[in-house]
Amino acid sequence: MDLELKDAVVLVTGASRGLGAAIALRLASEGARVVAAARSKGALDEVAGRGGGRISVIEADLRDERAVAGLADGVVDRHGRIDGLVNNAGIAPAGRFADQDPAVWKETMAVNVIAPMLLAQAAGRHMIAQGGGRIVNVASTTGVRGKPHLAGYSASKGAVVRLTEALAAEWAAKNVQVNCLAPGAFRTDAQRAVLDSPDLLERRVARIPARRIAEPDELVPLACLLVSPLSSFTTGAIFVVDGGESGKL
């Protein structure tokens, strides 16, 4: 299927590894001009080297509000427009809530909520002015159902879900679609502690009806479709991709 992404300009955050890298590479293979953003310049360059010349990089720390606010403008300065934004970057500090330092929450909210908000705001202005665009926010199943020892992460991803719905309703008439992916357990660095422990992995897989951890490429096609013009009547949707974990009784 042709996703009609040839020469579409898409900004992907957290694109140096895991889900972000996989999404950036597939978008490039579909013909998009991808701007990959993350903190690790070396890792970004490695991803760009696999992108067939269709991925450029921007080194950015999403805890820096000024830098975040200028990312979308930088993409437009470089390419003349911005057709898609994938807000993928995030952090997930774990810990017992009773003992957690408020500073951990502040950093989590800065990266997981404030940065996507600023990016959506800046990109959205350009999209409205140019006649449309698409935003995909990557949340988590913890944004749908909170998890113990991940209170801050759960709260931040829940905020991303509600932000998605609010922006979708506000911008639908402007031809800007805003949707959300809520992935479960994927084989990325975020699951490293589980993947490296046979006991933890066995217990984690036992909670998933599909009885396995997903590969990053299993989220990518849906992400690309939501960035594509083919999804022009899909907005405000939350797509849970977790092998049935959230839906089981």
Side-chain angles (χ1 to χ4, degrees):
M1 177 187 294
D2 179 8
L3 294 181
E4 300 179 12
L5 284 168
K6 182 173 174 52
D7 292 330
V9 178
V10 185
L11 171 61
V12 181
T13 68
S16 61
R17 59 183 183 177
L19 298 177
I23 291 169
L25 287 166
R26 179 64 68 86
L27 286 169
S29 75
E30 294 285 343
R33 289 180 286 172
V34 179
V35 180
R39 284 188 294 172
S40 174
K41 179 67 161 53
L44 282 174
D45 287 340
E46 191 276 330
V47 172
R50 297 158 54 199
R54 304 199 69 84
I55 299 178
S56 59
V57 305
I58 295 180
E59 186 177 6
D61 185 343
L62 296 193
R63 295 170 298 186
D64 182 343
E65 290 188 15
R66 183 175 297 179
V68 170
L71 271 179
D73 291 340
V75 172
V76 174
D77 288 343
R78 183 180 298 187
H79 293 289
R81 59 187 295 112
I82 181 168
D83 300 296
L85 166 65
V86 180
N87 273 318
N88 168 74
I91 58 174
R96 295 190 304 175
F97 175 68
D99 303 324
Q100 207 158 44
D101 190 323
V104 174
W105 274 65
K106 290 178 181 178
E107 183 179 25
T108 302
M109 294 297 169
V111 175
N112 294 2
V113 182
I114 300 301
M117 178 276 291
L118 289 172
L119 280 166
Q121 188 177 59
R125 291 190 188 112
H126 290 292
M127 291 174 181
I128 290 168
Q130 70 193 22
R134 287 154 296 281
I135 297 172
V136 178
N137 294 320
V138 180
S140 166
T141 51
T142 63
V144 179
R145 295 186 177 183
K147 293 185 179 180
H149 306 297
L150 285 170
Y153 184 65
S154 297
S156 71
K157 292 303 186 179
V160 169
V161 170
R162 298 285 88 84
L163 174 65
T164 297
E165 294 169 338
L167 293 184
E170 187 167 336
W171 286 347
K174 304 293 185 181
N175 193 31
V176 176
Q177 292 82 49
V178 188
N179 292 290
C180 184
L181 297 173
F186 278 72
R187 196 174 296 277
T188 66
D189 285 348
Q191 293 286 330
R192 183 54 51 201
V194 173
L195 295 171
D196 289 344
S197 168
D199 181 57
L200 288 177
L201 181 59
E202 182 180 2
R203 282 187 282 165
R204 183 72 183 88
V205 167
R207 298 199 299 270
I208 303 171
R211 293 296 184 265
R212 63 183 180 87
I213 303 293
E215 299 296 333
D217 283 346
E218 293 182 273
L219 187 72
V220 166
L222 180 54
C224 291
L225 177 62
L226 294 175
V227 174
S228 162
L230 300 184
S231 64
S232 58
F233 200 63
T234 302
T235 195
I238 315 302
F239 294 92
V240 176
V241 186
D242 68 352
E245 185 176 7
S246 297
K248 71 176 185 178
L249 297 177

